[in-house]
């Protein structure tokens, strides 16, 4: 069956071939791009940095500036870049939480021992400005 221009039409009930269904080697636009898993693997392997600033001014007066930096990578790639904060953050690492708890326990024992001996306890880091006896 032909259309008015003389071009052959597909039989009724069938659809014309879709060029995207063709194998990559015969696709009209060259090889297909990678799928989502391949892209994710590349991003995690190499890492990606997304940076942006949001600045709010009113009449040439800076009211607010927000700087956003996002680094997306695998753990190994992040370590190669010198980033490993999740290992020392008590909220993210059970080992860091245990270490933080042990350090707090040690400081409290030292303060208790100093109080029992009658000498003033050594100021804990970050305790500057605290009233005496608190």
């Amino acid at each position: 069956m032909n259309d008015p221009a003389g071009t052959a039409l597909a039989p009724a009930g069938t659809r014309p071939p879709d060029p995207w269904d063709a194998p990559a080697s015969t696709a009209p636009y060259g090889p297909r791009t990678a799928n989502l898993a391949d892209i994710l693997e590349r991003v995690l392997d190499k890492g990606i940095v997304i940076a942006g600033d949001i600045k709010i001014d009113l009449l040439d007066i800076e009211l607010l500036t927000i700087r956003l930096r996002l680094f997306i990578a695998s753990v190994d790639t992040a370590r190669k870049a010198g980033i490993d904060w999740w290992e020392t953050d008590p909220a993210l690492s059970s080992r860091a939480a245990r270490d933080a708890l042990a350090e707090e326990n040690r400081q409290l024992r030292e303060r208790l021992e100093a109080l029992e001996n009658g000498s003033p306890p050594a100021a804990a880091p970050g305790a500057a400005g605290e009233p005496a006896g608190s």
Side-chain angles (χ1 to χ4, degrees), residues 27-108:
Y29 302 107
R32 282 190 175 168
T33 59
N35 64 23
L36 182 60
D38 292 338
I39 293 169
L40 184 60
E41 182 179 345
R42 273 191 213 144
V43 165
L44 292 177
D45 185 43
K46 301 291 183 188
I48 185 171
V49 175
I50 301 170
D53 296 340
I54 299 170
K55 188 175 179 182
I56 299 174
D57 292 342
L58 179 65
L59 301 173
D60 293 332
I61 299 171
E62 186 175 320
L63 298 177
L64 176 68
T65 299
I66 300 173
R67 304 190 95 171
L68 303 172
R69 304 295 181 258
L70 180 63
F71 178 62
I72 302 172
S74 68
V75 170
D76 292 334
T77 304
R79 280 193 183 127
K80 289 177 189 173
I83 301 170
D84 62 355
W85 51 263
W86 62 87
E87 292 178 353
T88 57
D89 187 341
L92 299 173
S93 168
S94 60
R95 181 177 39 152
R98 282 191 307 270
D99 292 347
L101 185 61
E103 176 62 21
E104 181 182 10
N105 192 0
R106 185 191 62 74
Q107 289 176 355
L108 290 173

Side-chain angles (χ1 to χ4, degrees), residues 107-126:
Q107 289 176 355
L108 290 173
R109 287 179 189 272
E110 287 176 359
R111 290 181 71 188
L112 180 62
E113 184 178 328
L115 288 172
E116 287 175 347
N117 292 336
S119 61

